[in-house]
Amino acid sequence: MTDAVLAQPTRLSLARRVIDGGGLWPAVPALVYLVLFMVLPIVTLLTFGFVTIDRGAITDGGFTLTHIAGVLGDPLVWNLTWRSFWIAVVSTCLTLVLAYPIAYAYGHLKGVWRTLLLVAIISPLLTSALVRTYAWIVILGGRRGLLNQTLLSLGVIDQPLQILNTSTAVVMGMTQIHLPFMILPLLAVLSERDRRFEEASLNLGASQVETFFRVTIPMSMPAIVAGFALVFAVSYTNFIIPQLLGGGNYSTLAVQVYEQTIVVLDWSRGAALATLLLTTCFAFVLAIVSVGGRLTRWSEVRR
Amino acid sequence: MSQLVIENVSKGFGTLKVLRDCSLSIAKGSVVTLLGPSGCGKTTLLRSIAGFLIPDAGRILVKGEDISHLPPNRRDVGYVFQNYALFPHLTIRENIGYGLKIRRKPKAFIRQKVEEALGLIAMTPFGDRYPKQLSGGQQQRVAIARSLVLEPEVLLLDEPFNALDAQLRLSMQIELRKLIDRVGITSIFVTHDQQEAMTLSDRIAIMRGGRIEQLGTPLEIYDHPQTPFVADFIGRANLIPVAIRSGRTDSPQPIHSAMPDGPGTLVVRPENLSIAEGPGPGWEGSVGFATALGATIEYEIDCGAGEPLRAVLPRRPGVAPLTPGSRVTARIRDEAAAILLSGSPRP
Amino acid sequence: MMRKIKASSAQAMLPIDRFARWVLIAVTAFSILLLIGPSLIVIAISFEPRAYIAFPPSGFSTRWYQAVFANQQLLDSILVSVRISLAVMAICLLIGVPAAFASIRGTFRGRAALNAFLLSPQMMPGMVIAIASLFFGAYIAFRASDLMLILSLSVFCLPFVVRIVMARLADLDPLLDEASANLGAGKLETFVRVTLPQLAPAICAASAFTFIEAFDNVTVSLFTSDVRARPLPVELYYLVQFDSSPIIAAISSLEIGLSFVVMLIIAKAVGLERLGR
């Protein structure tokens, strides 16, 4: 008798729990949205690489490997993939080298200087990448480019340097434009780091330089890996910067995807190239993360 | 010769004076505790010895040699941090071997030293774990071993028991003291816990407002506090304001003293008070509150003006404690147990 | 004997460390210059009186700003971009805020998976989202248009809202909700009367951030925007390639000004430091 009375509210609340879904319901609109406008489109993209497309419609041919095979068999595609890869690697390494000191210094600053530095880091993040690419055209461009003007007037060079429309320009632009992406993850970790670890290292006889390389850097490795993977991915897939700073004849894998899809309108090849871009990007990021995982194994251990 | 000498060290941050003219000298192999409430400057003094801070004035000498100008990484002084600061990305072995590796010692030598240190703290099976995988007590031992393996002249420990569970503390304190005795290293502890200071130290330096207020063995300080602050901080004490007139106090139970006339403070430990029911010679009052603690009973006795007196009496089984409101008289059991200080209790 | 040592709170340093400190300061200074220098140069040349860019500018004139406001095509594209960005902002808030709520307060299984999924567009290269939207649209016979741009940009921007709001929600005390429930408020009422007001700063910051990200985004816009009504980034993309007058610098400076407005809003609402996390 008492049991039955007690059991009733339990059963009721069970039913209620199913209805309120443990609080899942508010996320449903977003989930549906992402499935409709991200998952389905990406499935479509991956499918388009394996069928023939004509004016946005799938032709009767059905499943075919021609386009993928065409892309994979094209030495130009592999050259461009290689170029995309090394440009991304070089510029990501440069961002790391430039970002780390900023994030490190940030933790040592106080008051107004700290705020100013934060503004210097965030403001580029909120400024259009196009505007910032344009700035590089101004700086590097031709004889009237700021860099050439300065170097010529200083007498460092007597012929204007041809930097715009080369890989160097692309690497420089990417490095500068993606710098905030690298700084932010480092900033979060470095500005809140516990100085006692560094003091402990000094106390054990290490110089500040040794401490930096043996304690500070290894301890911030999770953030380094995260920033590296992020900046690599955005650099590898960026087509605006190579197009604008590399010039009309310059191409990378990402530029190819854009041109095939928007200019040439060969969507099957575009889809195949995009598939290649996406899979190689994921493969590289995965490699970065797994190498990083080995370096940060200590951070995952639990008692 | 003293192993460590601190000479007139002062330190301020902006207008705030954190250390004022601190002097201390510590014999080889002895253990000194800097004890005081938070903000008294004890950690600042410890950090100055380690070289993390540079004092504004004064000198710090190790074995007679002035180390004040040396950077922290050139001082032969071990430091154990409050939360141990074990490098999370290095294993226990690598942590202990860190200082030796920095000193470019041969690999075989490092390996041997690390194994010895692991053995000393009975942690050999844990050598390849990461710090996060150890308990707080184990981490503490590793942090100490990491410093000891470098054979420093002095070991500094900043509240090393703070990060541990209350239950674990006492046993860890005893174990640590044994370890220090075995190694024979000169050590300075910083703590705000008087029980910890009593357990660990040969001598205690009570600090207050950037000054060392009293230095002595734990029992000296307990039995002969030189200021009301020390009396109140170490153990518990009734601080009774009195006036001294012609060699005796004006308290209900007069205490003889050679001190000149003037205000004074009578320091009486609660266990040195006895209580009798009814009126009589002594502090008359009523029981305000009684706490039966098992082996003892603590009474709070309201004597009109001033703070109530606290008395701790042994409890006799079967005898009911006095009820609140009972009229009682408190007396100092033994005049020798009363300490008379000049000046008012709370200046 | 008293000896004055040094009136500094810093510790003594080895020569190599002093040297390293200067290297660090030098690299940091260079990085800061690199971060803000290009934008400053763009602002400077926007005041160039002549018809071609030069640095430092040969004089001071606002003619290129006047040119921007006299250029109907540019003004139209700004209007298109504002409309689109507002729509993106609305969509992202409507679905993002509740999603963040579920993802912090929910007790259902797979909460971590939900989190990862909600933030996954961030992991996706913008270009892939854009092409995928274009192809999917074509597949269901839906042309590149304002609506498609809005829908695809919203996918791209959703993680910003979710992340900023989640960070704030994680700081809120769920006990306040329980207190509200204990005082008789229903779930929805509690959300509207207790949670939402506390989220307001985060929502404000998220709106500003989403707006500017949508307004500035060129990658997605190039693929999915309507060819007849170009949004500003697309217009600018063509201008940068085919025009060399300082008018681009003038528009760019205006955009930089807008980014500062957004930064001020975020700083006021949640503080800039939050953005880093």
Side-chain angles (χ1 to χ4, degrees):
Chain A
M1 171 64 191
T2 16
D3 281 357
V5 173
L6 283 176
Q8 220 169 3
T10 321
R11 209 175 295 142
L12 250 179
S13 71
L14 199 75
R16 272 183 68 172
R17 267 175 58 187
V18 173
I19 291 169
D20 85 17
L24 173 67
W25 289 112
V28 167
L31 290 178
V32 171
Y33 191 91
L34 285 184
V35 167
L36 274 182
F37 299 114
M38 183 181 80
V39 176
L40 285 184
I42 286 174
V43 170
T44 316
L45 168 68
L46 296 179
T47 318
F48 272 28
F50 297 96
V51 290
T52 303
I53 310 294
D54 190 29
R55 291 191 203 109
I58 301 175
T59 54
D60 295 333
F63 178 81
T64 170
L65 285 172
T66 352
H67 308 292
I68 292 286
V71 162
L72 292 182
D74 188 346
L76 176 73
V77 169
W78 289 110
N79 280 338
L80 295 182
T81 308
W82 168 241
R83 180 188 270 169
S84 292
F85 174 75
W86 78 255
I87 282 181
V89 167
V90 170
S91 102
T92 307
C93 290
L94 284 175
T95 47
L96 180 60
V97 169
L98 292 170
Y100 205 92
I102 285 206
Y104 183 80
Y106 180 80
H108 291 267
L109 292 179
K110 287 196 181 70
V112 166
W113 293 108
R114 201 179 162 104
T115 312
L116 279 180
L117 183 54
L118 196 59
V119 167
I121 296 164
I122 305 276
S123 70
L125 191 74
L126 298 174
T127 305
S128 155
L130 202 53
V131 168
R132 302 173 63 215
T133 312
Y134 170 70
W136 280 101
I137 297 180
V138 172
I139 295 170
L140 301 175
R143 175 174 277 278
R144 275 210 216 88
L146 173 61
L147 191 70
N148 276 333
Q149 268 183 14
T150 316
L151 293 181
L152 283 170
S153 67
L154 287 177
V156 180
I157 51 169
D158 42 33
Q159 282 293 314
L161 293 175
Q162 182 56 49
I163 298 178
L164 198 65
N165 300 348
T166 65
S167 293
T168 314
V170 177
V171 168
M172 287 168 83
M174 275 191 183
T175 303
Q176 191 261 348
I177 288 165
H178 296 149
L179 199 48
F181 293 136
M182 186 66 95
I183 297 176
L184 285 182
L186 292 175
L187 200 66
V189 170
L190 282 177
S191 69
E192 277 168 22
R193 70 188 198 273
D194 187 343
R195 299 287 165 76
R196 277 179 291 197
F197 290 108
E198 285 157 34
E199 288 182 348
S201 170
L202 294 181
N203 179 255
L204 294 168
S207 67
Q208 292 188 346
V209 176
E210 281 170 312
T211 301
F212 182 76
F213 286 106
R214 285 180 183 274
V215 176
T216 314
I217 289 187
M219 280 182 66
S220 62
M221 199 46 93
I224 294 179
V225 173
F228 201 93
L230 175 70
V231 173
F232 175 86
V234 293
S235 305
Y236 185 72
T237 59
N238 191 306
F239 68 96
I240 307 281
I241 300 170
Q243 254 188 343
L244 298 185
L245 298 182
N249 298 323
Y250 192 86
S251 192
T252 64
L253 185 55
V255 171
Q256 275 297 301
V257 174
Y258 171 75
E259 283 181 350
Q260 289 300 317
T261 315
I262 297 296
V263 184
V264 183
L265 290 175
D266 183 347
W267 283 16
S268 294
R269 190 174 166 85
L273 283 168
T275 307
L276 179 65
L277 181 76
L278 189 62
T279 45
T280 48
C281 181
F282 274 160
F284 290 138
V285 168
L286 217 63
I288 294 168
V289 171
S290 74
V291 169
R294 207 161 295 165
L295 293 174
T296 59
R297 209 157 36 105
W298 54 271
S299 68
E300 273 128 40
V301 297
R302 291 271 172 281
R303 196 178 333 154
Chain B
M1 196 209 302
S2 293
Q3 183 81 351
L4 176 75
V5 176
I6 296 163
E7 263 183 23
N8 305 105
V9 167
S10 295
K11 173 79 191 167
F13 297 108
T15 53
L16 187 71
K17 280 271 163 223
V18 184
L19 289 178
R20 303 161 196 256
D21 257 356
C22 286
S23 294
L24 188 65
S25 120
I26 299 171
K28 188 171 169 57
S30 77
V31 178
V32 170
T33 296
L34 304 178
L35 176 65
S38 59
C40 70
K42 53 193 194 300
T43 301
T44 307
L45 184 55
L46 205 69
R47 290 172 62 80
S48 303
I49 300 170
F52 300 140
L53 294 172
I54 294 183
D56 300 334
R59 295 201 305 168
I60 294 163
L61 299 99
V62 170
K63 286 172 103 178
E65 194 191 326
D66 187 357
I67 61 162
S68 317
H69 59 282
L70 290 179
N73 38 29
R74 290 291 174 268
R75 297 189 182 197
D76 217 357
V77 168
Y79 198 105
V80 176
F81 288 80
Q82 213 177 101
N83 60 351
Y84 315 130
L86 294 179
F87 304 124
H89 60 292
L90 301 181
T91 63
I92 300 313
R93 279 199 172 82
E94 289 165 340
N95 261 287
I96 296 177
Y98 184 88
L100 296 168
K101 200 169 167 188
I102 291 290
R103 284 168 174 73
R104 313 269 189 280
K105 299 287 187 206
K107 275 210 171 98
F109 176 80
I110 297 179
R111 202 174 309 126
Q112 184 205 336
K113 281 287 181 186
V114 168
E115 291 313 315
E116 276 175 29
L118 278 172
L120 184 72
I121 56 169
M123 291 279 290
T124 310
F126 300 95
D128 290 322
R129 297 209 186 169
Y130 287 101
K132 269 194 203 166
Q133 294 168 293
L134 302 186
S135 70
Q138 291 170 325
Q139 289 186 27
Q140 186 201 54
R141 274 142 64 193
V142 174
I144 291 165
R146 184 173 71 172
S147 287
L148 287 183
V149 80
L150 300 173
E151 296 168 10
E153 300 295 345
V154 180
L155 186 63
L156 310 175
L157 302 100
D158 183 10
E159 310 225 9
F161 300 98
N162 245 17
L164 300 184
D165 294 339
Q167 296 139 313
L168 204 64
R169 279 188 202 166
L170 187 63
S171 61
M172 287 302 291
Q173 284 162 12
I174 294 168
E175 205 175 310
L176 181 51
R177 180 66 220 235
K178 283 182 185 164
L179 177 65
I180 286 172
D181 286 344
R182 213 157 46 223
V183 183
I185 186 164
T186 314
S187 308
I188 303 183
F189 280 89
V190 152
T191 181
H192 60 262
D193 179 341
Q194 50 141 322
Q195 177 270 322
E196 193 177 309
M198 305 284 278
T199 312
L200 283 167
S201 3
D202 297 324
R203 288 191 302 159
I204 297 176
I206 308 269
M207 291 189 67
R208 180 201 192 190
R211 276 181 225 283
I212 295 177
E213 192 131 324
Q214 185 173 356
L215 177 69
T217 67
L219 288 183
E220 265 168 31
I221 287 184
Y222 189 83
D223 290 341
H224 304 288
Q226 284 163 7
T227 65
F229 173 79
V230 173
D232 201 27
F233 198 78
I234 281 280
R236 298 171 58 197
N238 295 299
L239 302 179
I240 307 163
V242 293
I244 306 166
R245 272 192 212 101
S246 40
R248 48 184 293 183
T249 62
D250 67 345
S251 47
Q253 181 183 5
I255 303 292
H256 296 276
S257 161
M259 276 201 267
D261 288 3
T265 302
L266 196 55
V267 179
V268 188
R269 302 279 178 202
E271 68 268 22
N272 292 335
L273 279 179
S274 67
I275 289 181
E277 280 187 84
W283 285 270
E284 288 180 18
S286 63
V287 174
F289 198 79
T291 318
L293 295 169
T296 57
I297 304 181
E298 187 181 321
Y299 291 109
E300 208 180 274
I301 302 157
D302 301 317
C303 310
E307 294 204 9
L309 292 178
R310 287 168 193 287
V312 172
L313 301 175
R315 191 176 70 90
R316 261 170 271 141
V319 180
L322 297 168
T323 50
S326 322
R327 302 294 302 174
V328 291
T329 302
R331 278 186 69 80
I332 300 170
R333 234 186 264 283
D334 177 358
E335 226 180 271
I339 308 143
L340 186 59
L341 303 171
S342 62
S344 315
R346 303 196 195 285
Chain C
M1 190 194 83
M2 287 257 280
R3 192 162 66 98
K4 192 92 181 150
I5 296 167
K6 207 170 150 196
S8 125
S9 64
Q11 57 204 20
M13 269 205 274
L14 300 175
I16 181 179
D17 290 337
R18 218 166 288 138
F19 172 73
R21 193 191 189 88
W22 282 112
V23 172
L24 181 75
I25 290 172
V27 178
T28 309
F30 178 73
S31 297
I32 295 172
L33 186 73
L34 203 59
L35 273 176
I36 52 173
S39 296
L40 296 180
I41 290 169
V42 167
I43 294 173
I45 60 175
S46 71
F47 295 107
E48 171 65 49
R50 293 176 299 186
Y52 48 86
I53 53 178
F55 187 89
S58 59
F60 180 87
S61 125
T62 55
R63 71 176 269 211
W64 295 109
Y65 288 91
Q66 287 160 14
V68 169
F69 290 105
N71 186 326
Q72 196 53 46
Q73 203 180 336
L74 266 179
L75 292 181
D76 285 346
S77 71
I78 291 175
L79 224 62
V80 169
S81 273
V82 168
R83 253 198 351 253
I84 284 169
S85 306
L86 287 176
V88 169
M89 198 174 97
I91 291 182
C92 287
L93 287 182
L94 275 177
I95 62 174
V97 175
F101 190 80
S103 145
I104 290 288
R105 292 286 170 82
T107 53
F108 52 90
R109 258 184 288 169
R111 210 158 54 100
L114 174 77
N115 259 332
F117 185 59
L118 287 174
L119 299 178
S120 66
Q122 250 180 346
M123 305 289 119
M124 219 40 91
M127 173 190 227
V128 170
I129 293 178
I131 299 190
S133 302
L134 180 69
F135 287 1
F136 180 61
Y139 184 63
I140 58 171
F142 185 66
R143 301 168 50 91
S145 60
D146 284 2
L147 183 60
M148 188 194 269
L149 180 55
I150 290 167
L151 291 176
S152 53
L153 272 180
S154 299
V155 170
F156 179 78
C157 290
L158 182 65
F160 303 133
V161 172
V162 173
R163 251 183 47 179
I164 295 174
V165 175
M166 259 171 64
R168 173 77 185 134
L169 260 174
D171 286 351
L172 292 188
D173 189 352
L175 286 182
L176 292 176
D177 288 22
E178 287 176 16
S180 163
N182 178 257
L183 295 170
K187 275 206 162 162
L188 192 65
E189 213 174 351
T190 298
F191 180 76
V192 173
R193 288 180 185 275
V194 177
T195 315
L196 213 50
Q198 294 183 84
L199 286 183
I203 291 176
C204 175
S207 312
F209 197 84
T210 305
F211 181 87
I212 193 126
E213 286 295 328
F215 192 83
D216 283 346
N217 189 294
V218 55
T219 311
V220 176
S221 308
L222 270 177
F223 284 94
T224 56
S225 67
D226 193 334
V227 279
R228 287 155 308 172
R230 288 175 181 169
L232 182 62
V234 176
E235 189 66 38
L236 201 57
Y237 172 79
Y238 288 115
L239 268 182
V240 167
Q241 288 181 85
F242 305 116
D243 191 328
S244 62
S245 75
I247 193 171
I248 305 165
I251 312 168
S252 298
S253 302
L254 292 173
E255 286 206 36
I256 292 169
L258 180 69
S259 76
F260 265 85
V261 172
V262 167
M263 190 159 56
L264 268 179
I265 294 174
I266 295 174
K268 276 267 175 239
V270 293
L272 284 182
E273 293 226 359
R274 274 227 170 261
L275 222 49
R277 260 140 253 172

